[in-house]
Amino acid sequence: MNMHTAAFRRAAQVSQQFVFPRTLFITVIVSVFISVFFFLTGLRNLNNYKPTAFYPHWKKKQPPLMACGVSVNNDPIVKVSNLKTYMVGSYIEHRHVVKMIQTIAIVLRSENTNYHCLLCCNGQNVSVPAAYEIHSDHFGFEYGTADITCEIPETCPTPTHVAITSPSPKENGSLLDVHAFQPVRNQQKLEVFPYEFTVCISTMFDFVNVLMLVQAMEMFKILGVQKVAIYKTSCDPVTQKVLDYYVRQNFVEIIPWHVSSYIKVSRGWQTSVSPGELHYFGQIAALNDCVYRYMYQSHYVALQDLDEFILPMNLNNWKELLSELERKYSQSVGFEFENNFFPLSIKDPRPEYSPDSWKKVTGVNILDHIYRLSNDPTKFNDFKVIVNPRLVFQTTVHGFLQSVNGSVRVNHAIARKYHLRNITNTDVVTHSRIQDTRLREFADRLIPAVSEVLRKALDIS
């Protein structure tokens, strides 16, 4: 064996000694890489984890709520079989000598019928006759708001659900024609309420004014409101994101309002100008439902729109305002706040009242409008109200049809309503303009609050 051959063999032996450790090292490195890859992939998938991908039965539609063998519908609108009558909401009426169920309804005024209440009591159905009254304020449309009432019988002291029928189920011997039960709300007559102020907004349709919506919500908070109820038909996706944000905060309650799926609604209050079968998307029915829905949830309710702001002139919020009004007038009346128009066509834009982030969303900036039109004291000027809802039996757009002691007009030097809207040129020309910067006095609190909501709800900064 020569010297070169011996050297080669020694090199081969040394190489074989390192083959296993090298292979093991490479194997460990690859294993670690694979483990890290699948770990990171798992984290990513965990963020998008959907149990239904592994448990398809979770996708199945949940069975409908049932009461006494009939499905339950928690939302308006419930059609009464064989009639052009629609249930909006049903409530215990505690204020009569005899305790009753009152159902707010929308009815075809020309359709005379005999109603019955079908009550669900401890799993049993009980039918009792009902009376009804159509509200006088229907503006001449074919449909109007009505109260359908029935006494609570001794055989059913605590009805949990109700359906309106005609004729009585006893007469036709079947429940097949009953579309759905509604829950009976206001079971307890409460004296202490979770909310001090609730705002009732009726009704929201085709809504795209995102900036004003956020400004309205934040102004309500500044004024001391704890809940806003919105009867919503439709809005654009950006508006919906804002609504979802406030719903998550438990500040807004959305009541689905799909009356236009059943009745041809008007978009105005005059049949000659805005044809249809029902006044302004069923606004009056929604307002009455809101009064009853929050009767034992809120100390006061304000019946107004999103482009309206009831502002105290020399006080900070509604709590201070209502305390003063009840001392000045009475604790058993509603309070009327006179309307003042601020035309959208007249603007006074100032950069300090319009952050750049606000320009990235659609809508009116309420702080741009500081000129109101003068009111004619010799003519009727409309108004909106704040009221203890337990004083009200029937309400309408401006004031009450039936209440304990009616309402009083608040002196405009104490508080007034700021209404921002499009006004005809004729009205702008025939009324003098008055500079009124009261809204801007809330800007220090309003501007950062609105900007924060736009950032959180819409990722706009």
Side-chain angles (χ1 to χ4, degrees):
M1 180 184 309
N2 59 33
M3 185 173 57
H4 294 289
T5 302
F8 178 82
R9 286 181 176 179
R10 285 196 299 270
Q13 290 173 354
V14 173
S15 176
Q16 288 175 358
Q17 292 175 359
F18 287 93
V19 167
F20 177 75
R22 185 170 62 247
T23 303
L24 179 61
F25 176 79
I26 293 173
T27 301
V28 170
I29 292 299
V30 171
S31 298
V32 170
F33 176 81
I34 293 173
S35 298
V36 171
F37 173 80
F38 281 108
F39 176 77
L40 295 176
T41 302
L43 284 179
R44 183 184 61 193
N45 290 338
L46 186 62
N47 291 331
N48 298 317
Y49 175 67
K50 296 180 180 179
T52 53
F54 299 97
Y55 300 96
H57 63 279
W58 288 20
K59 290 183 178 181
K60 291 182 180 178
K61 186 177 181 180
Q62 295 297 316
L65 297 174
M66 302 293 290
C68 294
V70 178
S71 64
V72 175
N73 190 338
N74 285 309
D75 300 322
I77 302 286
V78 178
K79 187 180 186 304
V80 176
S81 298
N82 304 318
L83 291 174
K84 293 184 177 180
T85 296
Y86 302 88
M87 299 172 67
V88 176
S90 298
Y91 305 88
I92 299 291
E93 174 56 88
H94 296 276
R95 295 170 295 176
H96 297 306
V97 176
V98 178
K99 191 162 68 171
M100 309 179 76
I101 293 179
Q102 176 153 319
T103 296
I104 311 299
I106 297 171
V107 303
L108 182 65
R109 296 191 294 114
S110 61
E111 187 173 57
N112 295 319
T113 188
N114 294 316
Y115 292 113
H116 286 75
C117 291
L118 181 65
L119 311 179
C120 177
C121 307
N122 298 319
Q124 300 295 319
N125 291 309
V126 177
S127 180
V128 295
Y132 74 98
E133 178 184 1
I134 300 175
H135 292 204
S136 59
D137 216 353
H138 46 68
F139 296 94
F141 288 89
E142 297 173 54
Y143 283 83
T145 302
D147 300 327
I148 302 176
T149 56
C150 56
E151 294 186 11
I152 298 176
E154 294 181 359
T155 56
C156 178
T158 55
T160 58
H161 297 79
V162 64
I164 302 300
T165 67
S166 182
S168 165
K170 292 181 179 180
E171 297 174 15
N172 60 28
S174 173
L175 296 178
L176 295 178
D177 290 334
V178 177
H179 285 180
F181 271 129
Q182 276 191 337
V184 180
R185 296 182 170 89
N186 294 356
Q187 293 283 345
Q188 301 297 321
K189 183 181 179 181
L190 303 178
E191 302 293 338
V192 179
F193 316 107
Y195 309 120
E196 183 72 7
F197 292 100
T198 295
V199 174
C200 297
I201 302 296
S202 63
T203 60
M204 176 182 280
F205 59 92
D206 301 342
F207 195 90
V208 297
N209 197 340
V210 177
L211 181 57
M212 182 182 281
L213 171 63
V214 177
Q215 290 177 326
M217 294 299 111
E218 296 308 310
M219 275 300 301
F220 291 152
K221 288 183 179 181
I222 290 171
L223 292 169
V225 174
Q226 292 86 35
K227 180 67 77 171
V228 179
I230 299 178
Y231 288 71
K232 193 199 82 170
T233 296
S234 60
C235 65
D236 76 332
V238 180
T239 297
Q240 188 60 52
K241 290 182 70 173
V242 171
L243 293 176
D244 292 341
Y245 169 82
Y246 285 110
V247 169
R248 289 193 300 270
Q249 284 195 329
N250 198 33
F251 184 67
V252 165
E253 179 184 8
I254 301 296
I255 295 96
W257 192 246
H258 301 309
V259 64
S260 56
S261 299
Y262 302 91
I263 302 171
K264 183 180 178 182
V265 296
S266 168
R267 291 175 175 261
W269 66 274
Q270 292 177 293
T271 56
S272 59
V273 177
S274 183
E277 299 173 316
L278 177 66
H279 162 264
Y280 201 64
F281 278 82
Q283 178 186 34
I284 295 175
L287 289 172
N288 280 271
D289 183 74
C290 197
V291 167
Y292 273 84
R293 184 177 292 255
Y294 284 92
M295 187 166 288
Y296 298 105
Q297 293 189 64
S298 191
H299 192 170
Y300 304 97
V301 295
L303 309 180
Q304 60 176 92
D305 296 328
L306 286 169
D307 57 358
E308 298 172 335
F309 302 89
I310 296 172
L311 301 183
M313 294 297 99
N314 299 300
L315 299 170
N316 296 311
N317 52 55
W318 283 359
K319 187 175 181 62
E320 294 178 4
L321 174 63
L322 267 293
S323 295
E324 178 173 323
L325 295 181
E326 288 180 343
R327 286 194 302 268
K328 181 178 178 61
Y329 298 104
S330 169
Q331 292 186 350
S332 60
V333 297
F335 300 105
E336 305 173 4
F337 299 91
E338 184 174 291
N339 182 68
N340 291 266
F341 283 123
F342 286 70
L344 294 182
S345 59
I346 304 175
K347 299 176 64 175
D348 179 50
R350 300 289 179 90
E352 62 268 33
Y353 297 115
S354 184
D356 291 340
S357 62
W358 293 13
K359 299 178 176 65
K360 299 176 184 178
V361 295
T362 59
V364 172
N365 179 2
I366 64 174
L367 299 178
D368 283 346
H369 301 278
I370 61 171
Y371 292 97
R372 59 181 168 89
L373 303 183
S374 61
N375 286 338
D376 186 342
T378 65
K379 296 182 179 180
F380 172 77
N381 296 301
D382 67 26
F383 57 91
K384 293 296 175 68
V385 297
I386 298 177
V387 65
N388 169 352
R390 292 157 299 284
L391 300 175
V392 180
F393 293 97
Q394 292 182 0
T395 190
T396 184
V397 182
H398 306 292
F400 314 125
L401 299 180
Q402 294 181 20
S403 66
V404 173
N405 287 313
S407 55
V408 297
R409 182 66 63 96
V410 173
N411 188 312
H412 68 271
I414 299 175
R416 61 176 72 120
K417 177 164 70 77
Y418 289 59
H419 190 178
L420 286 75
R421 60 168 292 178
N422 288 311
I423 305 294
T424 64
N425 288 332
T426 301
D427 289 330
V428 172
V429 171
T430 56
H431 291 76
S432 61
R433 303 177 190 179
I434 303 169
Q435 188 179 80
D436 187 333
T437 60
R438 177 59 174 153
L439 263 172
R440 284 183 175 174
E441 294 177 22
F442 296 90
D444 287 347
R445 297 175 62 185
L446 181 64
I447 290 174
V450 170
S451 298
E452 181 71 1
V453 173
L454 294 180
R455 184 184 66 82
K456 289 182 176 179
L458 302 178
D459 196 25
I460 291 176
S461 58

